[in-house]
């Protein structure tokens, strides 16, 4: 696996691959690589001739400074895991390679209503930061395929829309969420969950599954929201930020399920001070 820290060196390398008509698959990550990330690498290897993963903890997408500072950094182990999975190229830039220092930027995306929903509501500025780094990386890497996890369903929707709005010639793929045996979605932030809290971490997933069953049994969305709210208020370690049923075509909030095949249940909250999110598709 080739490792690049500078876009000025990565660009000519990829240009050469492109001139040989080798299709490029790209997986953006923030590192602390786990089996969820590796599933994206695996999908790229099956489809693209050259697989590129980036590792970069993108400061502008963090609305919480402590979350940024505490974000796990395990670069050597990450490179080892990516290499073992057959990734061809890792791009691990310092912040200076992507942003002027001190970090100043004037580009600002506006996503209208979308920004007031779910993650947009609870993480002001987050999607702006995500859109900026993803467009930067798309412009540097110019992939043919890009792989994202279903785990961040709203982010997937945003990037799919961005690809369309900005006319990128990129095929976007969504890869199902990889979970621990008890249902907890793998996440880099799981590394920060203290041992004594770990047994409660799968509550987000088990709640989603129970909520989906209730909806399928004919309970209304407001009834299920009350159930979820009560369940979280009964456990002092857990705080619910949102539980919403959404239409995945536009990420609008649904009060009655009319189109089961484009419906998803999304949840976010805290296990003590660790923020976790998860979702399941209705069908
Ligand atoms: P992150 O490093 O958390 O920014 O995630 C990088 C990519 O990996 C994103 O597209 C995530 O949606 C995806 N991802 C994170 N966790 C999982 C998981 N448990 N299963 C599948 N994909 C994941």
């Amino acid at each position: 696996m080739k490792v690049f820290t500078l876009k000025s060196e990565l660009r000519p390398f990829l240009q050469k691959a492109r001139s040989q008509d080798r299709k490029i698959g790209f997986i953006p990550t923030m590192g602390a690589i786990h089996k969820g990330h590796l599933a994206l690498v695996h999908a790229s290897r099956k489809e693209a001739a050259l697989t590129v993963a980036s590792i970069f903890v993108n400061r502008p997408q963090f609305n919480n400074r402590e979350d940024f500072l505490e974000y796990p950094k395990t670069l050597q182990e990450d490179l080892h895991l990516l290499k073992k999975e057959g990734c061809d190229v890792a791009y691990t830039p310092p912040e200076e390679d992507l942003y002027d220092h001190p970090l100043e930027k004037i580009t600002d995306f506006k996503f209208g209503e979308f920004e007031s929903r779910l993650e947009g509501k609870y993480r002001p500025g987050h999607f702006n930061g995500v859109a900026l780094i993803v467009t930067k990386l798309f412009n540097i890497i110019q992939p043919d395929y890009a792989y994202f996890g279903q785990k961040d369903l709203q982010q997937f929707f945003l990037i799919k829309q961005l690809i369309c709005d900005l006319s990128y010639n990129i095929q976007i793929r969504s890869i199902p969420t990889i979970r621990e045996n008890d249902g907890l979605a793998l996440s880099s932030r799981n590394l920060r969950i203290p041992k004594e809290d770990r047994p409660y971490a799968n509550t987000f997933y088990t709640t989603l599954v129970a909520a989906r069953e209730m909806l399928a049994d004919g309970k209304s969305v407001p009834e299920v929201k009350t159930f979820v709210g009560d369940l979280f208020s009964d456990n002092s370690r857990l705080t619910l930020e949102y539980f919403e049923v959404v239409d995945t075509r536009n990420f609008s909030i649904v009060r009655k399920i009319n189109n089961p095949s484009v419906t998803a249940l999304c949840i976010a909250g805290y296990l003590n001070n660790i923020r976790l999110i998860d979702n399941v598709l209705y069908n």
Side-chain angles (χ1 to χ4, degrees), residues 3 5 19 30 32 35 41 57 86 92 104 122 125 128 160 178 190-192 197 199 210 226-227 229 234 238 270:
V3 181
T5 52
S19 71
M30 296 204 297
K35 287 187 184 138
V41 172
V57 185
T92 63
E104 277 171 10
Y122 287 93
N128 231 286
K160 193 169 80 169
I178 306 294
N190 295 355
L191 293 174
R192 292 176 51 209
D197 287 346
T226 305
F227 160 79
D234 284 349
L238 298 169
Y270 285 86

Side-chain angles (χ1 to χ4, degrees), residues 28-30 34 36-37 40 71 148-149 151-152 155 176-178 186:
T29 84
M30 296 204 297
H34 52 66
H37 298 120
L40 308 189
Y71 203 85
F148 292 86
K151 156 110 189 323
D152 300 284
Q155 171 180 283
T177 304
I178 306 294
L186 297 194

Side-chain angles (χ1 to χ4, degrees), residues 22-207:
R22 298 178 74 197
K23 300 285 182 217
I24 297 173
F26 175 48
I27 301 105
T29 84
M30 296 204 297
I33 297 293
H34 52 66
K35 287 187 184 138
H37 298 120
L38 297 177
L40 308 189
V41 172
H42 185 78
S44 171
R45 287 200 64 215
K46 283 206 292 193
E47 189 166 37
L50 192 81
T51 293
V52 182
S54 62
I55 297 177
F56 180 68
V57 185
N58 180 44
R59 193 150 39 132
Q61 77 186 65
F62 285 81
N63 53 312
N64 178 326
R65 193 175 145 73
E66 190 194 324
D67 191 25
F68 170 70
L69 294 173
E70 303 272 309
Y71 203 85
K73 290 171 192 73
T74 55
L75 184 61
Q76 287 317 313
E77 175 67 4
D78 290 353
L79 294 175
H80 172 73
L81 291 171
L82 288 174
K83 185 175 171 191
K84 218 168 85 186
E85 193 61 41
C87 183
D88 301 297
V89 175
Y91 174 46
T92 63
E95 202 168 57
E96 296 81 355
D97 203 43
L98 292 172
Y99 294 100
D100 279 349
H101 259 236
L103 198 151
E104 277 171 10
K105 58 178 189 68
I106 57 168
T107 305
D108 202 9
F109 292 86
K110 293 255 182 288
F111 300 117
E113 279 273 292
F114 179 82
E115 279 181 80
S116 63
R117 295 182 191 141
L118 291 86
E119 291 298 286
K121 178 172 172 186
Y122 287 93
R123 302 188 68 187
H126 170 66
F127 285 128
N128 231 286
V130 169
L132 186 60
I133 189 64
V134 169
T135 51
K136 272 173 181 288
L137 292 168
F138 280 175
N139 289 329
I140 293 168
I141 290 153
Q142 297 175 38
D144 298 282
Y145 308 100
Y147 302 84
F148 292 86
Q150 188 202 306
K151 156 110 189 323
D152 300 284
L153 192 64
Q154 196 178 5
Q155 171 180 283
F156 176 78
F157 169 83
L158 176 81
I159 294 163
K160 193 169 80 169
Q161 193 63 48
L162 211 62
I163 286 176
C164 175
D165 291 355
L166 303 182
S167 302
Y168 280 111
N169 189 15
I170 299 173
Q171 309 279 323
I172 184 169
R173 308 275 188 243
S174 170
I175 305 301
T177 304
I178 306 294
R179 300 179 180 283
E180 302 280 8
N181 288 337
D182 69 349
L184 172 66
L186 297 194
S187 163
S188 306
R189 288 189 178 85
N190 295 355
L191 293 174
R192 292 176 51 209
I193 300 173
K195 214 167 147 206
E196 64 274 19
D197 287 346
R198 177 61 187 81
Y200 303 91
N202 70 345
T203 311
F204 292 83
Y205 179 65
T206 54
T207 302

